[in-house]
């Protein structure tokens, strides 16, 4: 049904598409009817960030899609190319918490992580400040974002330490990591270790690792393949797990946070169940007015943040560089697809 047919597929390297002469131009994004002007489109996967960042400048590609943030300065004022920075509205690069078991079954520990995390510092350190803030269950550029999310937990290592003390995770002389003393379900002397599992952006976890260590928390960062992630989720074998949805529609909150989706194949992973939250989320599929749905979404975000059920990190815009030889390249609304019809 699209403008191309598959010509070649080399796994982990490239996909080549040839123009379909029978295409009628049915996609409404297309300005003229009939086949597209491009005879061939090759999409190549580049695993090395430095290579991907330079691939347009070196003449080896017409488009560099989702280049690393470290290359933004090189391109953003370069008149020989078109530089695009496209925010992606949704949940951002969020980490959801498994509250079924220690240590994250204690809200004081969950809130301590919020106080110990410094998102702005991570953005500056890793991405030259070019990533977007994501302070709650919906990221800041989402039209239904609740702006109280970023004000709920002051960045304070001292507050984090105080909450961990109250929760029974104590500082032991000469040891950088706190240990359990009187924590229900945990043997005394057990170090405070929290697993942090992601599919990508390991570097954010490593930056958080350093920040949490100041409060006496050992954050173990591990990159998982998608099937392994879902297996652990189904077994409820995780602490902090990466979970992301992209959409300008607030209904994605219902997918992630309504406890009725806490089932195999469902997206509600944390184990949190609250009748008020579920009822609020249910409105997102029923209310016809976007304003009313956004109001319900903001109410839901407040409940999620009050219970510290997720740890926001950042939101990654899609950074794209297009050669001056290319005209009419178009980004999709959420930055994770594109059109070459024109």
């Amino acid at each position: 049904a699209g403008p191309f047919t598959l010509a070649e597929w080399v796994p982990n390297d490239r996909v080549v598409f040839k123009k379909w002469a029978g295409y009628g131009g049915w996609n409404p994004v297309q300005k003229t009817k009939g086949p597209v002007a491009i005879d061939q489109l090759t999409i190549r996967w580049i695993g090395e960030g430095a290579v991907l960042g330079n691939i347009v400048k070196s003449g080896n590609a017409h488009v560099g899609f989702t280049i690393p943030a470290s290359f933004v300065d090189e391109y953003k004022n370069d008149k020989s190319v078109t530089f695009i920075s496209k925010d992606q509205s949704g949940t951002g690069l969020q980490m959801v918490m498994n509250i079924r078991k220690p240590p994250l079954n204690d809200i004081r520990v969950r809130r301590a992580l919020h106080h110990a995390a410094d998102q702005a510092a991570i953005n500056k350190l890793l991405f030259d400040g070019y990533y977007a803030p994501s302070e709650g269950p919906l990221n800041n550029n989402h039209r239904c974002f609740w702006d109280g999310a970023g004000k709920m937990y002051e960045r304070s290592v001292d507050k984090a330490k105080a909450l961990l003390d109250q929760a029974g995770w104590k500082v032991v002389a000469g040891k950088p990591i706190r240990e359990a003393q009187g924590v229900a379900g945990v043997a005394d002397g057990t170090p405070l270790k929290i697993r942090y599992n992601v599919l990508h952006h390991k570097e954010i976890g490593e930056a958080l690792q350093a920040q949490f260590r100041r409060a006496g928390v050992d954050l173990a960062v591990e990159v998982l393949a998608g099937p392994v992630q879902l297996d652990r989720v189904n077994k409820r074998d995780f602490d902090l797990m990466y979970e992301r949805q992209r959409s300008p529609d607030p209904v994605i909150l219902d997918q992630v946070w309504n406890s009725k989706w806490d089932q195999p194949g469902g997206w509600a992973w944390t184990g949190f169940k609250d009748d008020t939250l579920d009822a609020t989320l249910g409105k997102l599929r029923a209310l016809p007015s976007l304003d009313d749905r956004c109001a319900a979404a903001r109410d839901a975000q407040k409940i999620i943040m009050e219970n510290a059920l997720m740890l926001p990190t950042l939101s990654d815009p899609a950074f794209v560089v297009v050669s001056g030889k290319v005209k009419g390249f178009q980004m999709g609304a959420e930055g994770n697809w594109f059109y070459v019809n024109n």
Side-chain angles (χ1 to χ4, degrees):
F4 299 99
T5 58
L6 180 63
E8 181 185 23
W9 175 16
V10 181
N12 301 312
D13 181 63
R14 67 186 181 275
V15 175
V16 180
F17 299 98
K18 296 285 188 180
K19 177 168 70 175
W20 176 36
Y23 185 59
W26 303 300
N27 190 326
V29 78
Q30 189 160 321
K31 295 176 181 177
T32 60
K33 297 302 179 185
V36 295
I38 295 176
D39 292 319
Q40 178 174 298
L41 174 69
T42 300
I43 298 177
R44 191 178 298 275
W45 280 265
I46 306 296
E48 175 57 48
V51 177
L52 178 60
N54 281 302
I55 200 161
V56 173
K57 183 177 289 186
S58 64
N60 289 310
H62 292 104
V63 180
F65 195 71
T66 61
I67 67 166
S70 56
F71 287 86
V72 170
D73 281 338
E74 290 188 33
Y75 287 112
K76 65 178 182 178
N77 296 316
D78 186 343
K79 303 302 181 184
S80 68
V81 300
T82 298
F83 173 73
I84 302 168
S85 176
K86 184 72 175 177
D87 287 338
Q88 303 182 77
S89 60
T91 62
L93 304 171
Q94 73 171 347
M95 304 297 296
V96 298
M97 303 193 190
N98 183 3
I99 70 167
R100 299 174 181 84
K101 58 187 180 66
L104 297 179
N105 62 339
D106 191 323
I107 193 171
R108 294 170 294 189
V109 176
R110 303 198 300 268
R111 287 176 172 170
L113 298 186
H114 278 265
H115 286 297
D118 188 339
Q119 184 183 126
I122 293 174
N123 195 1
K124 185 176 181 180
L125 172 70
L126 298 176
F127 309 114
D128 296 330
Y130 287 124
Y131 269 29
S134 183
E135 297 172 317
L138 292 178
N139 59 5
N140 295 35
N141 61 51
H142 198 287
R143 58 190 176 187
C144 298
F145 170 68
W146 175 57
D147 61 8
K151 304 167 188 172
M152 186 167 283
Y153 298 103
E154 175 192 357
R155 302 293 166 256
S156 170
V157 176
D158 289 340
K159 288 188 175 182
K161 291 177 178 178
L163 284 166
L164 293 172
D165 281 335
Q166 294 169 23
W169 296 96
K170 305 293 186 178
V171 173
V172 177
K175 296 185 178 181
I177 302 303
R178 292 170 177 267
E179 296 181 359
Q181 293 183 15
V183 177
V186 181
D188 284 355
T190 301
L192 179 50
K193 182 176 182 178
I194 296 173
R195 292 175 296 163
Y196 182 99
N197 294 139
V198 289
L199 302 179
H200 45 69
H201 285 85
K202 180 183 180 183
E203 67 277 12
I204 295 178
E206 291 170 339
L208 282 167
Q209 188 179 59
Q211 292 179 352
F212 286 176
R213 199 170 183 86
R214 298 171 194 159
V217 179
D218 180 14
L219 192 69
V221 180
E222 182 183 9
V223 176
L224 304 177
V228 177
Q229 177 201 36
L230 295 178
D231 181 62
R232 290 197 186 177
V233 165
N234 287 333
K235 293 176 179 177
R236 306 313 188 218
D237 179 24
F238 70 94
D239 295 325
L240 282 167
M241 183 66 79
Y242 169 75
E243 182 173 16
R244 182 181 196 179
Q245 302 286 344
R246 295 180 182 94
S247 176
D249 194 315
V251 77
I252 56 176
L253 288 174
D254 182 76
Q255 295 171 219
V256 177
W257 299 106
N258 195 320
S259 65
K260 72 179 179 180
W261 308 124
D262 184 1
Q263 55 180 286
W267 293 98
W269 296 347
T270 66
F272 182 76
K273 179 174 174 56
D274 179 81
D275 290 342
T276 301
L277 177 59
D278 287 349
T280 303
L281 294 167
K283 297 177 183 178
L284 300 177
R285 297 184 185 272
L287 294 169
S289 163
L290 177 61
D291 287 343
D292 291 342
R293 294 170 72 227
C294 279
R298 293 184 184 104
D299 289 341
Q301 290 170 81
K302 183 177 180 182
I303 296 171
I304 295 164
M305 289 299 292
E306 285 174 343
N307 288 278
L309 301 175
M310 51 80 69
L311 182 71
T313 60
L314 291 162
S315 188
D316 55 340
F319 302 121
V320 180
V321 179
V322 182
S323 165
K325 297 178 180 179
V326 177
K327 309 297 179 187
F329 177 87
Q330 292 171 275
M331 290 287 287
E334 291 307 308
N336 56 334
W337 67 87
F338 58 87
Y339 299 98
V340 293
N341 297 60
N342 297 316

